[in-house]
Amino acid sequence: MDLWYDRFQALKQIQIAIPERAVTAFIGPSGCGKSSFLRCLNRMNDFVLGARVEGEVLLDGDDIYASGRDVITLRRRVGMVFQRPNPFPSSIWDNVAYGPRLHGVTGRHELDGIVERSLRGAAIWDEVKDKLRTPALSLSGGQQQRLCIARAIAVEPEVLLMDEPTSALDPMATARIEELVRGLKERFTVIIVTHNMQQAARISDETAFFLNGEIVETGPTQFIFTSPQDGRTEDYITGRFG
């Protein structure tokens, strides 16, 4: 696939298969196309004036850019966690229940179960179970990001996109998110954009190296970090990239 912003080609001939129930990391220098590609996977670039995609993005064999595709349903199947925590200015409970309500779940008992299950899945239930009606914005940054993960998984997506989810967090909160990501792959296909190569090495199963809007190299993370086949990948990983 290719991505254009008006006349500027941001992504060129991207070809990659994302493995199911695994963590795939996108690495590369700033402005290389990692986040642009991530946003293509749930059509967030539809909100960008002048953006257009050429080619196919297949989810379970179906092109998500096919004519008539229901984008709301797509974004339920492909959830997203952003770089900075962005909880809604409402209660913790309402944040997590938002998605299920949007998709037609109305029963209070069922919603309570979804909220608890999602908060447990995001490893934050024990910290918030006694204050579900308090404002989400009262939580710490790391807790807010785990709440956003709970909100994303509450609708049971197939794929979870994460755009530098720890870049605004301290080392302790970052470690909690990394531990959480390693567990999430048991239920979801996880794709994470990161500038932190050590983080990619710690938590991902597969890695793709982006440069100038292209994928230079992709493969098992251990292989990419120890035996890269492209000199540009090796230069980036070893810090010699200029």
Side-chain angles (χ1 to χ4, degrees):
M1 61 150 284
D2 301 272
L3 171 67
W4 298 79
Y5 295 126
D6 292 321
R7 296 182 179 180
F8 172 68
Q9 188 170 5
L11 295 172
K12 307 164 189 174
Q13 291 294 297
I14 299 297
Q15 297 186 55
I16 186 172
I18 305 295
E20 188 177 10
R21 301 290 175 91
V23 179
T24 299
F26 295 164
I27 64 170
S30 296
C32 66
K34 306 183 301 294
S35 293
S36 287
F37 181 51
L38 194 76
R39 291 194 297 268
C40 288
L41 301 181
N42 68 345
R43 293 186 55 170
M44 289 294 290
N45 282 320
D46 287 10
F47 296 112
V48 179
L49 188 65
R52 75 179 190 277
V53 167
E54 297 179 359
E56 294 181 325
V57 178
L58 304 181
L59 176 62
D60 297 334
D62 296 323
D63 182 12
I64 69 172
Y65 284 91
S67 177
R69 184 68 62 202
D70 185 343
V71 179
I72 293 176
T73 299
L74 169 67
R75 294 189 184 127
R76 183 191 64 77
R77 298 173 66 193
V78 185
M80 190 160 190
V81 177
F82 295 91
Q83 182 173 358
R84 293 187 175 276
N86 60 340
F88 301 141
S90 56
S91 72
I92 293 168
W93 190 95
D94 285 326
N95 264 265
V96 183
Y98 175 83
R101 282 172 155 172
L102 184 66
H103 293 285
V105 180
T106 58
R108 179 54 185 265
H109 180 73
E110 186 176 2
L111 286 169
D112 282 342
I114 291 172
V115 169
E116 178 176 349
R117 184 165 60 250
S118 302
L119 291 170
R120 285 187 183 277
I124 193 175
W125 170 253
D126 289 339
E127 298 166 50
V128 302
K129 62 182 179 182
D130 297 323
K131 48 182 180 181
L132 295 177
R133 291 300 175 183
T134 61
L137 295 174
S138 68
L139 299 173
S140 70
Q143 288 175 321
Q144 287 186 20
Q145 192 65 303
R146 281 183 284 145
L147 175 64
C148 291
I149 293 172
R151 186 176 66 195
I153 66 177
V155 294
E156 292 291 331
E158 298 173 45
V159 181
L160 186 61
L161 310 177
M162 309 184 85
D163 192 359
E164 296 190 65
T166 64
S167 64
L169 305 181
D170 61 51
M172 186 172 294
T174 294
R176 295 291 300 273
I177 297 293
E178 289 183 2
E179 181 181 3
L180 175 58
V181 170
R182 285 191 289 265
L184 287 171
K185 71 178 182 180
E186 296 179 6
R187 297 170 55 198
F188 310 103
T189 298
V190 181
I191 306 171
I192 183 170
V193 167
T194 179
H195 276 104
N196 187 327
M197 288 181 290
Q198 290 76 22
Q199 181 176 78
R202 285 192 297 266
I203 68 173
S204 69
D205 303 291
E206 300 278 323
T207 295
F209 173 53
F210 283 71
L211 184 64
N212 297 328
E214 300 179 78
I215 293 181
V216 172
E217 190 168 356
T218 183
T221 296
Q222 185 176 7
F223 182 80
I224 293 292
F225 277 80
T226 59
S227 304
Q229 300 300 293
D230 190 290
R232 293 168 294 177
T233 309
E234 183 175 8
D235 287 345
Y236 182 74
I237 290 171
T238 58
R240 297 196 302 266
F241 186 82

